[in-house]
Amino acid sequence: MDLTSLPAAPPFALRARLLTPLDAGGSRHEPDGLLVVDAAGRLTFAGAAAERPAEADTALDLRPWVVLPGLVDLHAHLPQLPNAGLGAGLDLLTWLERYIFPLERGFDEAEATRLAPLAWQAFAAAGTTTALVYGAVYEASLEATFRAAEAHGIRAIVGKVMMDRITYDATIDPATILDRTLREAADLIDRWHGRDDGRLQYAVTPRFAVSCTSDLLRESAALARSTGAYWQTHLSEDRGEIEEVARLFPEASDYVDVYDRAGGLGERAVLAHAVHLSDRELARLVETGTRVAHCPASNLFLASGVMPLARYLEAGLTVGLGSDVAAGPDLSIFTAMRVGAYAKNALGVAGYGTGHMMTPLDWLRMGTLGGATALGLADRIGSLEAGKEADVIAVDPSFVAPIPGVTDDDPVDLVSRLVYRTHPDMVRAAWVRGRRLEGPAARG
Ligand SMILES: [Zn+2]
């Protein structure tokens, strides 16, 4: 395939192998499929080429590539990307001090202007077309990060990290930090939340309970509620962190209760990790419709723990996948699927499994439609179905063949190779609303 012939903007039609989860459940696999994208970047057809022979004849033929819905990353830290893969063997709080806070402290407007465009390209290269992301603590840095997302074309939900208990921004008077961080977040919401017909959105982002007072947690949740922005933070990642939260918030009955008392729980809240939940905490998250970003590669990298995914799914929790770069070493959501599957197997082997099986197609669903559902965007994205926006990736399966020429006709086998033999260059193209993103195939 000549990459320069790939469409840069809608309208267009692609003929390819097609595989997607479906809103109604199950999935659709068309060995000879057709995607038709209208001028507004919406899918008007996603199905068998034989049903639309005239359009199939003139469509750009990508076969044997496969088109999939773009991946959804529910948790990543954009300023941390340069340190991805560093600091193995440290606990969470030590790792933050040594590898993360210095990087975030230096992520000012100039650094964001330089790095954010490259970071968005890296997300797209991994196949991620929607990302829920933490920025740095500086308003101007977030402006630059949003500007880069606007120009790049990725679907991005970004938030300025808020901290008023411990912070790396020495320029702010501690007495004014709460008012200032709330005002800056409100300014950013004014300018960016809902921009480009909702492609860019804002997430109010208190870092986590350890670095935030109950005032900041409460006020940030109120800001998210009053503006319709998302609210994201970390929950129950590491045993040391949980003990520290219990010490700092003696009035709360447990970690979830800290956020509950702040008014943070609900369908617009995405909490990362949630590794060590009690039955009460799990039930409360389900009851409030709160979303969880499962970040298995990060949880094993930092030895935080293994999230009991099967128990959570059986309880009815809405779960999507997160890379959690840089605690997760890899931006690829296929890597999150693979490590999540290994972690789930390890729990089972150790006697903690519940027998709940997940096939490769179930993991693909969690990394696409599951993430879209967690964000309340399943009516727009997450699957390749007529009426949705054309957030699409094209993958060349030859990159994951164990021996050249080995192919997989069965869709479960195909996704199994993509998950268990992920190659950094296998995503050859990515589109959001039919607009092609820079990043994939940049290395040849
Ligand atoms: Zn994180």
Side-chain angles (χ1 to χ4, degrees), residues 44-179:
T44 58
F45 180 80
E51 289 178 40
R52 297 279 188 99
E55 282 160 292
D57 270 355
T58 55
L60 180 66
D61 194 347
L62 299 182
R63 289 174 295 167
W65 291 6
V66 56
V67 289
L68 304 165
L71 300 168
V72 178
D73 188 344
L74 281 188
H75 186 67
H77 299 262
L78 187 140
Q80 300 177 10
L81 193 50
N83 275 358
L86 303 184
L90 300 176
D91 68 279
L92 171 65
L93 299 179
T94 309
W95 172 82
L96 283 172
E97 285 296 331
R98 199 172 298 171
Y99 280 97
I100 296 307
F101 286 166
L103 207 56
E104 287 194 19
R105 187 181 299 120
F107 202 78
D108 58 11
E109 184 179 12
E111 196 68 348
T113 302
R114 187 175 74 83
L115 282 179
L118 302 174
W120 294 128
Q121 289 172 32
F123 276 100
T128 294
T129 52
T130 297
L132 174 57
V133 164
Y134 290 50
V137 295
Y138 318 111
E139 184 177 9
S141 168
L142 266 289
E143 281 287 333
T145 302
F146 267 114
R147 280 197 302 271
E150 184 178 44
H152 177 256
I154 194 168
R155 196 180 291 274
I157 306 164
V158 189
K160 185 184 88 81
V161 167
M162 308 168 94
M163 300 190 278
D164 68 339
R165 198 196 294 274
I166 51 167
T167 183
Y168 49 78
D169 182 0
T171 66
I172 300 179
D173 174 2
T176 64
I177 195 168
L178 175 61
D179 287 346

Side-chain angles (χ1 to χ4, degrees), residues 6-14 34-39 41-44 55 59-60 62 390 392 431 433-436:
L6 290 168
F12 59 83
L14 298 176
L34 178 71
L35 280 186
V36 182
V37 181
D38 70 12
R42 203 170 288 275
L43 291 167
T44 58
E55 282 160 292
L60 180 66
L62 299 182
V392 181
W431 294 266
R433 285 187 190 148
R435 180 179 163 198
R436 192 172 163 211

Side-chain angles (χ1 to χ4, degrees), residues 74 132 204 217 220-222 224-225 228-233 235 256-272 281-293 316-319 373-376:
L74 281 188
L132 174 57
V204 181
L217 293 173
S220 66
R225 244 194 333 276
Y230 294 90
W231 191 78
Q232 63 173 346
T233 189
L235 170 69
V256 164
D257 194 41
V258 172
Y259 295 147
D260 204 353
R261 285 163 176 262
L265 305 184
E267 293 182 354
R268 300 285 281 178
V270 181
L271 307 184
E281 289 177 296
L282 174 59
R284 185 63 185 146
L285 293 183
V286 172
E287 184 179 41
T288 55
T290 304
R291 315 331 199 173
V292 162
L317 191 67
T318 301
V319 180
T373 301
L375 294 171

Side-chain angles (χ1 to χ4, degrees), residues 75-77 80 134 234 237 272-273 295 298 324-325 327:
H75 186 67
H77 299 262
Q80 300 177 10
Y134 290 50
H234 296 87
E237 177 175 5
H273 304 306
C295 309
S298 161
D324 194 23
V325 161

